[in-house]
Structures are given as structure tokens and as C-alpha cells.
Amino acid sequence: MLDGIRCFAALLGLAGWLTWGATASLMAQEEVTVESLIQVDPVFYLSTDGLEQHREAFEQTAAYKAFYESGMVDAVFKLVDQFGEEGQLAKEVGQHLLDHGASIAVNLPEPGQLPIPRVTVVLPEAAGYHDQLKSLVIQFLEQEELPVVQEEIEIEGRTVFKLIAPKPPLVEAALWSEGNHLVLAVGIGAAHATIKVAEGKVGDITNSRCWKEYIVPAAAENPMVSRCWLDFAQIRTNYGQIPIPAPDEKGFITVNQFLEIIGLHEFGAAIMFSSLAGEETVRSFVIEVPSPSQGVMTFWDPAPLELDQEFTLPPNLIMFGANSMEWSRIYAAGWKIADGMVSHLNPAELQEFRELKAHVPEIIGFDPQELLGCLGGGTYVCLSASPGIFSIPNAWIRQKVEDEEKLKQMLAMLAERIEPLLIEAEGVVSIRQSVINDKEVMTFSLAGAFTPSLVVSDGWLMISSSTQGLKSYWLREQGKLPTYEPEPRTAARLKNLPEGTISYGITDPTFSYQQLLSVIPMYIGIGQQALIKEGVLPPDVPLPDFPPVELVTQHIKPSFTVVWRDEEKLYAETYSTVPEVSLGVASGSIMVALLLPAVQQAREAARRVQLRQEMQEGYDLENGPLERREKELDRPEPRPRPGKPRPLPLPAPEQ
């Protein structure tokens, strides 16, 4: 059984890599929709359309201007071209994925069957890649000598190439063409099951509940470019009775019991879909979880946020988040989860655990529940860019306080409690008290280099990364320093937050992209040099030629996120000008995966050239035959001693 599962995992990983490795001219075949190839009600589903289907709308987005018109994407593909034919292959595959997208679905077996899911991957407009992909598969299996059975069979008029695990359960990875699309199916009986869907004998994904309730209505409002869901209820139904052993292996807990303890027993499905709207990409989320929630979902089930709070934000804003947080309730939920786990997995220690909980205030010197009870429901976090050599962002947190005097007393008690520990630290960590703007400020000095500071005043607990941060905030409140002015779209959204809002935030990715794009050329240059040394790239390979950072980031605008809920569901929307993550990550990962074999082959060739050179010198002949020396080359060589330089290798003999 375990051997079969390992084979399944190996086949799944192999098939995932090989699917993306397809390239060639496309074949004109009968048109088939991608959705008609995916079985109804997958537990997980992810589909992206690619850029070609929405070319006109995509060219209006800020992401297109930032990454395509600037030349950034072309610069990346030029780097891939440096790897010769393999680079061209990786480039074509990456471009095809960006243009046409991909779909993946995971269907669970029926209750009572082996708990092995079936995975279906569809690459749109890629049917012409079939033959080359099949050749790559066969070549790979011959090189690695994997114990996998190969066969090619006819199913309902389709020629299906299959790889089958040699031992039960007989998991297979099957590849074939459907219309203009390339299909990969992995699982027990995966090929027959998927072809039944294509033949219309089993319902396809358009008959799924999540598709009808969420995808269809949303697509009617705005052109949709990607869609995804996770149907958690299916996991509970199919795997809920599977036992999870205790750490000491003396007891167990079922999956459903575990989910009930951590508060996910009423979790239905999580759905995401995105669309293009002018310069922005709009991502919408729906999570089926009723209120009141328990366990970990307590974090997402607070009272609505007070929307009348105003803050003075710094002009170089990186991130601002406003959140409704019921800290006391979250703390109690954490103890309840721990209590439930102990009671199910190790009931003999339950009484001892509860006694420990009762003695926590005595052990640490204060009652955490009482401390958290002083706090209100609003938590606000700000991060701003900082000039200077290290460019470490400034940060502050403002927490609403219900009982200011009691909180001050408890913080003073806490400082007194940890004073003996600070004495043992010998000044590395210390607490310093000061008065700034008639406010008592407590500063934690960490070796004098970092000085996070806090103050309780005017109904707020404020924590800043330094006393400078506190002063800056108060000066902005007084109008003596410039403040952040949101762009019109963000300002309008701040004024029209939905009813039941529990969180909203502004994020400006410009600073992060500036930092990232500034160091990427350096790291790529270092990587090139390493590959030159290994013989993978030629010595005269061009250096990275990326566009100026400002040319890319000038089009990036702040993102805005809002989260709200009702009695049945949690909702979120994000408005962003940066590209879709799924396509970029998938395309980049696939190109890297395709380049790795080329890099490995070049390394092996370089090793063999080096071996022939050393054998020609004659000083290494005592080490035995060529095969033995090849194995030794895999081991790191000792560093030469001073005064005994290693002889330079002679040129390789002419062939």
C-alpha cells in the first residue's frame, strides 16, 4: 500500500513537470471547451484564461504597462534565450502558458474507495504538443530507469499514452489530446474517468454547485480571467472518519473531531475569482463559514469595525491596515482548542492541563485575559518607507483601549516582573522610561540598536518602532509634517465601505518592487558567473538588461482590500495594479523546470572535459579507471595548501 502511494506521488510529480514541457505547432481539431473535460464537483479547482483571450482589456491595465511595455518581460525571456535550444523550449512553453492559461482540478474518490484523489490538468490550445511530450517522457524514463509500465491504448477513439505504477494501487498518469487541448489525468482509472466526462456520460464542472452559485453570476457582471475554489465540505465527508494518531501513538482523533476542535467543522467552500476593470485587477473572495464562529475562525468573526476613526498617515506609505480584533475572545478560543486536543488525545493529562491554565496568572504575574480585556476592538497597523542606508521601514500599531488606567497598571506590573530577567541580560535588553509631549513613554532597548516604544494615552495604546515614530505621528496630527493623501479611487472606497466591514487596508507595492528590481540584476549576474564557471553558459554571455526601475514602478498604484461578513459568509475584495500571481509563478516555475535538465547536462559535459584534461596530465592515473574517477568528481575537492598550487590542466586532446 505504501509503495503504491509513493509511486502515485512520484507519478504525479513527474507528470506535472512533463505536462508543461510540451512545445510544437498547434493542430487544428474539433473545438472542445476546457470545462467539458473536468468532472463535476472537484474538491479543488483552479483555472486561468491566459492573456490572449482578454488581450484588449489586459493592455489597458497598469500591469501590462509596467511589465510588458517597459520591456521587463522581454528582458526575462532574453535571459532564457541564453540556454540555447533548451532556453527556446522553456521560453515557448512559458509564453504559451501566459497566453492561453491552464486548468487543474482535483476530484475525490467516492466514500469507501481508496483515499487517492484524481488530478486533471488541461492545457488549452496545446494538442499539437502531444508527440514531443511523449518523446520527452520516454527519454526521461529510460535515463532514470524508473520501474513504471508504459502502454498506449485506444479509449473511445482516442490514443492514450499511459504510465502505470508497477504495484497496487495501480495509479496511472495518462496523456492524450481532446480537440485543441492537451489533457493529463493522474489517479486510479484516471484516463477512463476523464474520457467519460468528455463523452458526456458524467457531468462536467459547469454542473458544480460552486460554479452555478458563484462563478456564473460573477462572470455575468464582469469578464472573468481566473477562478478557483476549495470545497472543504467534501474533505469532511470523504476523509472525516480517518484517524489521526496521537504523538505518543496511544490514542487517535478523527479528522472531523480535529476540525470541530479547531473550529472548521462548519467550513463550507472558499471561492475566488478575478476580473479586469480598467487599470486594475479585481479579486473577489467568498468563504462559507457561519457566524458566530469558533476556534481559529474566531479571528475572522469579530464585531464590525468602527468606521469613523481617522488617522494621519505618512506620505511614503507602504501599508495601512484597519482590523476589528476581539483579543480576549481569541485568547479564550486558543485555550479551548488546546483543551479539546488534550481531552481527545491524552485525557489522562486533562486535569493537569486545566490546573496549569488556572495557574498561568500566578506563574507570569498577571492574568492575560484581564490584560486583553483592557483592549478595545480596533487594531490599526502602519508601515512606511524609510530613507537611509538600510531602508528599514518604520512601523506603528494603534490599539483601541477600553480601560486606560488599568492597562497602564498592568504594563507597569509586567515591566517590574521582567526586571530580574533584564538584569541577567547585562544591558543587552533594557527598559527605559521617558516623557515625550507630556506622555509617559516606555522604550525597550535591544542592544541600543533597536528601540521599540509604547505609550498609553487618550484612549489608545500606540507602539512604534522607535521614539522618532511616535514623535512623527504626533507632529502629523498637529499638521507640522506632511501626510498621506489617497488617490481618488482609494478615497472613494474608504468612504463607501460595505456594511459589516471587519477589515480594510491600503498597500503600495511600489517600495517593495523598487527594492526587488534593484537587486535582481546583481543576483542574476552572480548566478550567470556561477554557470559560466561550470561550463553551462559561455564566458561572453550578455549581462542582465532590465529596464530602469522607475520605468516599471511608475505605473503601479496602491492596492485596496476590504473584508466584511454577514451571518453566513465572509467576503473580501482586492483591487490591485500588479499582475496575476498564478500565471507569473506558474510560467516562471515551468521555465526553470525545463532549464534544469539542460543545466545538469552542461555540468556533466564540463566534468567530463575536466576529467579528460586531468587524465592527459598523468598525475591522476593512480586513482584508477575512468569510471571510478568520475564518481570521485562528485565529491568536493580539498582546498589546495599554500605553496602547493594545483597544476593547470592541459588542453583537451583533439578528437
Side-chain angles (χ1 to χ4, degrees):
M1 177 68 178
L2 289 177
D3 289 340
I5 293 175
R6 291 192 186 99
C7 286
F8 168 70
L11 280 172
L12 184 59
L14 170 64
W17 175 82
L18 290 172
T19 299
W20 305 114
T23 81
S25 59
L26 301 178
M27 299 166 57
Q29 296 188 20
E30 177 185 357
E31 184 176 354
V32 177
T33 64
V34 173
E35 291 77 20
S36 68
L37 305 176
I38 298 175
Q39 185 174 323
V40 63
D41 290 331
V43 65
F44 173 77
Y45 172 62
L46 171 63
S47 175
T48 59
D49 294 341
L51 308 180
E52 198 62 40
Q53 188 173 337
H54 308 279
R55 176 68 63 181
E56 184 176 350
F58 178 67
E59 290 180 354
Q60 304 302 314
T61 64
Y64 179 82
K65 297 172 184 176
F67 294 92
Y68 282 82
E69 289 186 353
S70 70
M72 175 59 71
V73 172
D74 288 339
V76 172
F77 281 137
K78 285 180 181 178
L79 288 174
V80 178
D81 284 338
Q82 297 175 0
F83 291 88
E85 294 182 3
E86 291 82 3
Q88 289 293 330
L89 171 63
K91 176 181 176 179
E92 185 175 346
V93 171
Q95 187 63 63
H96 184 89
L97 185 63
L98 286 173
D99 287 342
H100 300 283
S103 295
I104 180 171
V106 180
N107 288 83
L108 298 182
E110 296 295 329
Q113 298 181 356
L114 288 175
I116 299 177
R118 186 175 74 256
V119 181
T120 306
V121 179
V122 181
L123 296 184
E125 304 299 323
Y129 301 174
H130 178 277
D131 291 342
Q132 188 170 357
L133 177 56
K134 176 184 172 183
S135 298
L136 288 173
V137 171
I138 295 173
Q139 181 181 357
F140 178 83
L141 293 175
E142 290 176 350
Q143 290 177 349
E144 300 299 325
E145 298 181 353
L146 294 177
V148 178
V149 178
Q150 303 177 42
E151 68 175 23
E152 193 166 70
I153 62 174
E154 292 290 324
I155 304 177
E156 299 289 344
R158 300 162 176 83
T159 301
V160 180
F161 176 65
K162 297 171 66 173
L163 307 176
I164 307 173
K167 298 179 180 180
L170 299 180
V171 177
E172 66 183 28
L175 179 72
W176 72 96
S177 300
E178 285 283 348
N180 289 334
H181 311 312
L182 190 65
V183 182
L184 169 72
V186 181
I188 298 177
H192 284 86
T194 304
I195 290 174
K196 283 184 179 180
V197 179
E199 289 288 314
K201 299 176 181 178
V202 176
D204 64 32
I205 194 169
T206 61
N207 295 304
S208 303
R209 179 184 70 86
C210 290
W211 184 278
K212 293 179 179 179
E213 290 187 19
Y214 300 103
I215 305 303
V216 172
E221 295 182 4
N222 293 296
M224 191 176 293
V225 297
S226 67
R227 56 215 60 81
C228 176
W229 73 65
L230 173 66
D231 191 348
F232 205 77
Q234 284 195 49
I235 298 176
R236 299 201 311 272
T237 301
N238 288 61
Y239 299 144
Q241 300 306 315
I242 294 179
I244 303 174
D248 59 4
E249 299 183 354
K250 294 182 179 180
F252 70 90
I253 184 174
T254 66
V255 170
N256 277 343
Q257 288 174 328
F258 174 74
L259 294 177
E260 184 172 3
I261 290 171
I262 65 174
L264 295 179
H265 58 296
E266 295 181 304
F267 196 117
I271 303 95
M272 185 281 291
F273 43 88
S274 62
S275 58
L276 302 178
E279 287 190 326
E280 298 177 311
T281 299
V282 182
R283 300 176 182 89
S284 302
F285 303 83
V286 182
I287 300 177
E288 298 174 339
V289 56
S291 178
S293 299
Q294 303 175 28
V296 296
M297 294 308 297
T298 303
F299 185 88
W300 292 106
D301 187 33
L305 192 64
E306 295 181 15
L307 302 180
D308 57 348
Q309 300 292 339
E310 295 184 1
F311 301 96
T312 55
L313 304 177
N316 48 351
L317 185 71
I318 296 177
M319 183 274 291
F320 171 72
N323 307 278
S324 177
M325 305 291 292
E326 297 181 357
W327 293 109
S328 181
R329 185 177 165 212
I330 293 172
Y331 176 78
W335 277 110
K336 186 175 180 180
I337 291 174
D339 188 281
M341 294 295 290
V342 173
S343 63
H344 279 82
L345 294 176
N346 201 344
E349 296 184 4
L350 181 60
Q351 185 61 34
E352 182 180 350
F353 171 80
R354 290 176 175 174
E355 290 177 359
L356 172 63
K357 176 188 174 184
H359 286 87
V360 165
E362 180 182 344
I363 296 171
I364 65 176
F366 67 94
D367 187 351
Q369 187 78 47
E370 188 176 359
L371 174 64
L372 296 174
C374 298
L375 306 179
T379 304
Y380 305 83
V381 182
C382 176
L383 199 65
S384 60
S386 172
I389 186 170
F390 296 112
S391 299
I392 299 175
N394 293 318
W396 59 251
I397 300 173
R398 280 176 66 85
Q399 172 65 53
K400 191 71 175 175
V401 174
E402 297 293 342
D403 193 332
E404 186 175 323
E405 290 304 317
K406 189 173 184 179
L407 179 60
K408 287 181 178 180
Q409 293 174 7
M410 298 198 72
L411 289 175
M413 184 188 308
L414 178 60
E416 181 180 349
R417 182 76 175 181
I418 65 176
E419 185 175 356
L421 299 177
L422 300 180
I423 294 174
E424 293 181 6
E426 298 181 348
V428 176
V429 182
S430 62
I431 296 179
R432 305 179 186 181
Q433 306 286 346
S434 60
V435 177
I436 303 176
N437 285 14
D438 298 326
K439 298 177 175 66
E440 297 180 358
V441 177
M442 180 185 297
T443 300
F444 295 84
S445 176
L446 308 178
F450 300 98
T451 55
S453 305
L454 65 86
V455 60
V456 180
S457 176
D458 303 323
W460 292 93
L461 164 64
M462 184 164 184
I463 305 172
S464 178
S465 54
S466 66
T467 55
Q468 285 180 312
L470 295 176
K471 293 177 181 178
S472 296
Y473 184 86
W474 293 327
L475 288 172
R476 287 191 178 89
E477 280 189 323
Q478 299 168 13
K480 296 180 179 179
L481 286 177
T483 59
Y484 172 76
E485 293 293 337
E487 62 169 348
R489 284 178 298 191
T490 301
R493 287 162 183 159
L494 288 170
K495 293 180 180 179
N496 295 280
L497 295 170
E499 182 180 355
T501 295
I502 61 174
S503 176
Y504 66 87
I506 305 168
T507 304
D508 190 345
T510 304
F511 177 79
S512 301
Y513 272 91
Q514 287 173 342
Q515 299 296 310
L516 180 62
L517 296 176
S518 296
V519 300
I520 279 181
M522 177 184 68
Y523 285 114
I524 290 180
I526 294 173
Q528 283 181 325
Q529 195 61 36
L531 294 176
I532 290 172
K533 186 177 180 180
E534 297 230 14
V536 177
L537 295 177
D540 59 347
V541 64
L543 290 169
D545 185 23
F546 290 118
V549 174
E550 297 85 353
L551 190 62
V552 177
T553 58
Q554 67 176 339
H555 301 289
I556 297 176
K557 303 293 191 302
S559 303
F560 186 82
T561 300
V562 58
V563 182
W564 71 100
R565 70 163 306 140
D566 56 25
E567 294 183 354
E568 298 297 330
K569 299 170 185 174
L570 182 71
Y571 307 87
E573 281 191 349
T574 297
Y575 304 83
S576 174
T577 58
V578 296
E580 275 282 333
V581 175
S582 55
L583 271 180
V585 171
S587 179
S589 301
I590 291 161
M591 288 193 294
V592 170
L594 289 173
L595 289 176
L596 285 179
V599 172
Q600 184 62 27
Q601 290 173 7
R603 284 177 173 173
E604 291 299 327
R607 283 179 179 274
R608 293 184 180 278
V609 170
Q610 180 185 12
L611 175 63
R612 287 198 299 270
Q613 291 173 337
E614 293 180 349
M615 294 293 288
Q616 179 69 18
E617 289 176 336
Y619 72 87
D620 238 358
L621 291 176
E622 296 180 0
N623 287 331
L626 178 62
E627 291 80 5
R628 176 177 169 185
R629 180 62 180 141
E630 284 180 327
K631 294 180 180 179
E632 292 179 355
L633 283 173
D634 291 332
R635 298 199 297 263
E637 298 183 7
R639 181 177 298 178
R641 296 181 180 179
K644 294 184 178 180
R646 177 177 175 176
L648 294 174
L650 296 175
E654 295 183 1
Q655 301 295 329

